[in-house]
Amino acid sequence: MARIINITYPGSLHNHTDFSNLRLRDCINKIPDLIDYAIQLGHSGIAITDHETISGHIKAEEYLAKLKKNNPDNEQIQNFKLVLGNEIYLVRNGLCAENYIPKQDQYFHFILLAKDKIGHKQIREISTRAWRRSYMARNMRRVPTYYQDIIDIIGSNPGHVIGSTACLGGQRPAKILSFYKTKDPNDQTYIYAWCNRMKEIFGEGNFYLEMQPSSNCDQKIVNGFLCKLSKELNIPYIITTDSHYLKKEDANIHEAYLNSQDGDREVKSFYASTYMMSTEEIAEYMTELTSNELQQGFVNIQEVFDKCEEYSLKKPLKIPQLPWKTFDIPSNLDTWCARIPEFTNFLASDYIGDRELVKA
């Protein structure tokens, strides 16, 4: 029996576009399609969080601005919120090609969302650090972000970036699954300590636990644990779709795209529900939550949208004026030769006679 949900899903704060294909084939969403479909679903906003790249942000800003300009009387479009972010790979300090430990070191996913211009600048600084230390490994470029980067850049001036724990590829979900299987109390202690530390770094109200709708047993275990953790640590949770394709019926196209170049990748289970969803679809998947718990996740999402300011990354075009734009020949020729000595050589060359720039 379908559950009664009194709140509409506001929109996903974790989505990918074709800009995520920078290092590895990952996503078939185009920015205009992603925004258009979110509006069609009745969402109040959307976040773009490509894998360690912010290259699509200007394009997304321009497209939404054009939509609003062309639809001045459409209230939903006018109020639609675009949040710009980055899905980084958060690793231990100092990790590099020379000291990478197989089966021990992992490139854990983590979401950063800019609340304002300062926050976007912080995300750019973090991304720049990661790319400067990047390296090639197994035909793919690895782009590590250190915990110290988060501490240095966000922790020194918190309140401008929101962080969330990402998908099953994140460190918290991985640790939760480890604890579920082993019941090792050290894992539980680490989970609680890590969450409290991230809450401290990002500042009160700027760190979220991230759930995702799925039929995957591991994801359901993680969702249930995060709900419990949220209540115990007073850390809010959000529900995201981690969209890699638009609609459920696009799954086969997405699978074919991923396997078209990189060989036989197992994608059916991992990406089975990574598409944009309506309120009803999310409710159908997330049976591990009560209706009230599900709706609380929706409320928290809307709060994130409300916390994020509208700002522009674009700057006005400034065309430099060359000092010789008003060059007057020959009245002030000596003056210009004094200012630009190369003019003397130019005047003495064979070329000058052909152009008839100076007349006797």
Side-chain angles (χ1 to χ4, degrees), residues 170-213:
Q171 189 176 32
R172 267 340 74 210
K175 208 68 173 178
I176 288 170
L177 291 173
S178 174
F179 172 70
Y180 181 81
K181 295 172 183 176
T182 66
K183 297 298 185 287
D184 184 348
N186 292 325
D187 282 344
Q188 185 177 30
T189 300
Y190 186 83
I191 291 167
Y192 281 61
W194 185 91
C195 288
N196 281 324
R197 178 60 176 138
M198 298 306 283
K199 182 179 178 181
E200 179 185 355
I201 293 171
F202 282 87
E204 186 68 34
N206 294 308
F207 174 63
Y208 288 77
L209 306 174
E210 183 174 342
M211 303 180 189
Q212 295 185 353

Side-chain angles (χ1 to χ4, degrees), residues 90 110-112 115 161-166 172 191-210 226 229-230 233-238 304 307:
L90 193 55
F110 192 84
I111 297 293
L112 300 176
K115 293 173 65 178
V161 173
I162 287 173
S164 73
T165 52
R172 267 340 74 210
I191 291 167
Y192 281 61
W194 185 91
C195 288
N196 281 324
R197 178 60 176 138
M198 298 306 283
K199 182 179 178 181
E200 179 185 355
I201 293 171
F202 282 87
E204 186 68 34
N206 294 308
F207 174 63
Y208 288 77
L209 306 174
E210 183 174 342
L226 290 176
L229 192 64
S230 172
L233 298 183
N234 194 30
I235 298 175
Y237 58 86
I238 55 176
V304 172
K307 288 177 182 178

Side-chain angles (χ1 to χ4, degrees), residues 34 122 125 182 224 258 287 314:
L34 195 70
Q122 290 178 336
E125 290 173 352
T182 66
L258 296 189
T287 55
K314 300 178 72 175

Side-chain angles (χ1 to χ4, degrees), residues 336-349:
W336 283 105
C337 284
R339 290 181 61 184
I340 309 175
E342 288 80 3
F343 273 9
T344 303
N345 296 330
F346 176 66
L347 292 171
S349 69

Side-chain angles (χ1 to χ4, degrees), residues 72-342:
D73 299 324
N74 188 312
E75 186 175 346
Q76 187 198 359
I77 292 177
Q78 293 301 317
N79 294 330
F80 191 82
K81 182 71 70 71
L82 174 66
V83 177
L84 302 175
N86 195 7
E87 183 167 17
I88 62 173
Y89 297 94
L90 193 55
V91 304
R92 64 175 172 85
N93 293 335
L95 177 63
C96 61
E98 289 72 28
N99 62 23
Y100 175 81
I101 304 173
K103 298 183 179 180
Q104 180 174 322
D105 284 320
Q106 296 184 54
Y107 278 77
F108 291 112
H109 299 194
F110 192 84
I111 297 293
L112 300 176
L113 302 172
K115 293 173 65 178
D116 51 31
K117 267 190 172 183
I118 296 174
H120 198 278
K121 184 174 186 293
Q122 290 178 336
I123 290 176
R124 296 197 303 270
E125 290 173 352
I126 289 171
S127 184
T128 298
R129 284 193 183 187
W131 276 98
R132 282 179 174 172
R133 65 171 69 102
S134 66
Y135 65 91
M136 291 298 297
R138 292 174 300 193
N139 299 319
M140 181 172 66
R141 182 160 292 279
R142 289 295 190 178
V143 190
T145 294
Y146 298 159
Y147 278 94
Q148 194 61 48
D149 298 331
I150 302 294
I151 295 169
D152 291 345
I153 297 172
I154 296 177
S156 63
N157 184 18
H160 303 284
V161 173
I162 287 173
S164 73
T165 52
C167 57
L168 291 181
Q171 189 176 32
R172 267 340 74 210
K175 208 68 173 178
I176 288 170
L177 291 173
S178 174
F179 172 70
Y180 181 81
K181 295 172 183 176
T182 66
K183 297 298 185 287
D184 184 348
N186 292 325
D187 282 344
Q188 185 177 30
T189 300
Y190 186 83
I191 291 167
Y192 281 61
W194 185 91
C195 288
N196 281 324
R197 178 60 176 138
M198 298 306 283
K199 182 179 178 181
E200 179 185 355
I201 293 171
F202 282 87
E204 186 68 34
N206 294 308
F207 174 63
Y208 288 77
L209 306 174
E210 183 174 342
M211 303 180 189
Q212 295 185 353
S214 176
S215 298
N216 182 289
C217 291
D218 286 348
Q219 184 66 65
K220 287 185 173 294
I221 290 169
V222 169
N223 289 346
F225 191 99
L226 290 176
C227 190
K228 173 176 175 287
L229 192 64
S230 172
K231 296 171 184 176
E232 292 181 1
L233 298 183
N234 194 30
I235 298 175
Y237 58 86
I238 55 176
I239 298 167
T240 74
T241 57
D242 192 7
S243 310
H244 285 72
Y245 50 99
L246 282 186
K247 305 174 183 179
K248 187 175 184 177
E249 55 265 33
D250 296 331
N252 290 335
I253 299 173
H254 179 248
E255 180 183 4
Y257 175 72
L258 296 189
N259 287 322
S260 64
Q261 182 182 43
D262 306 302
D264 188 17
R265 293 168 59 185
E266 201 295 302
V267 300
K268 285 188 179 297
S269 60
F270 190 82
Y271 294 104
S273 56
T274 55
Y275 58 92
M276 300 185 70
M277 297 185 189
S278 65
T279 304
E280 293 73 24
E281 287 177 293
I282 290 176
E284 185 178 346
Y285 272 112
M286 302 194 73
T287 55
E288 65 275 16
L289 300 184
T290 66
S291 294
N292 287 339
E293 289 169 342
L294 188 65
Q295 291 179 130
Q296 184 59 54
F298 293 179
V299 170
N300 296 339
I301 294 167
Q302 187 59 55
E303 286 179 353
V304 172
F305 281 126
D306 293 341
K307 288 177 182 178
C308 294
E309 299 177 4
E310 292 192 29
Y311 58 91
S312 176
L313 296 174
K314 300 178 72 175
K315 295 183 178 180
L317 180 64
K318 293 183 179 180
I319 301 176
Q321 296 295 318
L322 301 177
W324 48 86
K325 184 176 181 180
T326 57
F327 185 48
D328 182 13
I329 298 176
S331 62
N332 58 353
L333 188 58
D334 292 339
T335 301
W336 283 105
C337 284
R339 290 181 61 184
I340 309 175
E342 288 80 3

